[in-house]
Amino acid sequence: MSDHATMQAIARLVPQGARVLDLGCGDGALLDLLQRTRGCTGYGIEIADANVLACVRRGVNVIQLNLDEGLAMFSDNSFDVVLQIDTLQHLRNAETMLRETARVGKSGIVAFPNFAHWPNRLSVLRGRMPVTRRLPYQWYDTPNIRVGTYKDFEVLAGKNKLRILDAFGLQDGREVRFLPNALAGTAVFHFEHD
């Protein structure tokens, strides 16, 4: 997720000077933004060689790690905030990593493509998997191994005793707080462990 307006909306949820762990940090753009504009410190976790190199070039601390292996290297509450921005839908152990996010961070922020966004519903109604700006892949070549909705995450958070501090959708860089399950392509949740 490299859209500047989207990164700004997520950055607003991160406290000034926070210690941050960014899971699946990609090229480090969000962590770089947090360091420059919010005085944050921390690490990115990334598996792809090219993205690790991009992080290093940006001056972002990065650890090359496969998230499917977990976060055992980090102690409880090691970070103020743990980010999973466009990561959850790629993980085989999504629920386990959500619990790990809550364990190593005092709070967590997740963002993922909202499959219940109305254009997606319309595509499925027509008998096809959606291909949109937010979900740009065909069903047979997508890196997403799961799809979820805004409402699905609310249920998953409750099941895992996570208290939602803030939740909204994002659409074209704008926050969507009215009917985000239907009107937003991205679901965003800020939570802490109960």
Side-chain angles (χ1 to χ4, degrees):
M1 174 179 301
S2 61
D3 174 292
H4 189 69
T6 299
M7 287 196 310
Q8 289 287 351
I10 291 167
R12 282 192 292 273
L13 298 173
V14 178
Q16 192 77 26
R19 184 163 159 77
V20 177
L21 180 64
D22 188 356
L23 304 178
C25 68
D27 64 6
L30 179 56
L31 199 48
D32 179 51
L33 176 73
L34 292 171
Q35 290 171 343
R36 287 184 294 105
T37 65
R38 311 231 5 116
C40 295
T41 60
Y43 295 91
I45 303 290
E46 180 56 46
I47 193 168
D49 294 338
N51 283 337
V52 170
L53 183 58
C55 287
V56 170
R57 287 184 176 148
R58 282 183 192 271
V60 169
N61 295 324
V62 63
I63 300 168
Q64 191 165 26
L65 179 72
N66 182 342
L67 289 174
D68 285 326
E69 295 170 8
L71 300 175
M73 68 188 312
F74 298 108
S75 301
D76 295 1
N77 295 316
S78 298
F79 296 90
D80 297 312
V81 179
V82 177
L83 305 173
Q84 280 198 53
I85 310 304
D86 275 353
T87 303
L88 205 57
Q89 73 272 14
H90 299 283
L91 299 174
R92 296 198 185 290
N93 57 351
E95 187 174 11
T96 299
M97 283 308 299
L98 187 61
R99 285 194 299 266
E100 282 288 273
T101 295
R103 180 186 68 78
V104 294
K106 294 174 185 162
S107 73
I109 300 170
V110 298
F112 56 91
N114 175 28
F115 199 72
H117 188 214
W118 74 266
N120 300 337
R121 294 177 189 205
L122 188 57
S123 289
V124 171
L125 190 60
R126 291 178 177 152
R128 299 288 313 271
M129 288 297 285
V131 177
T132 64
R133 195 165 13 108
R134 192 67 181 94
L135 293 166
Y137 301 96
Q138 293 292 334
W139 66 270
Y140 52 83
D141 69 353
T142 181
N144 299 326
I145 61 172
R146 63 187 79 255
V147 294
T149 71
Y150 186 96
K151 291 290 186 187
D152 288 332
F153 190 86
E154 289 178 332
V155 171
L156 183 61
K159 177 184 175 201
N160 285 280
K161 298 182 172 87
L162 303 177
R163 188 165 63 87
I164 296 172
L165 303 171
D166 195 7
F168 54 90
L170 288 171
Q171 184 60 37
D172 299 322
R174 294 175 294 107
E175 287 187 17
V176 177
R177 292 190 179 270
F178 176 74
L179 299 175
N181 198 44
L183 300 178
T186 300
V188 179
F189 289 86
H190 185 198
F191 60 88
E192 65 184 12
H193 201 274
D194 232 358

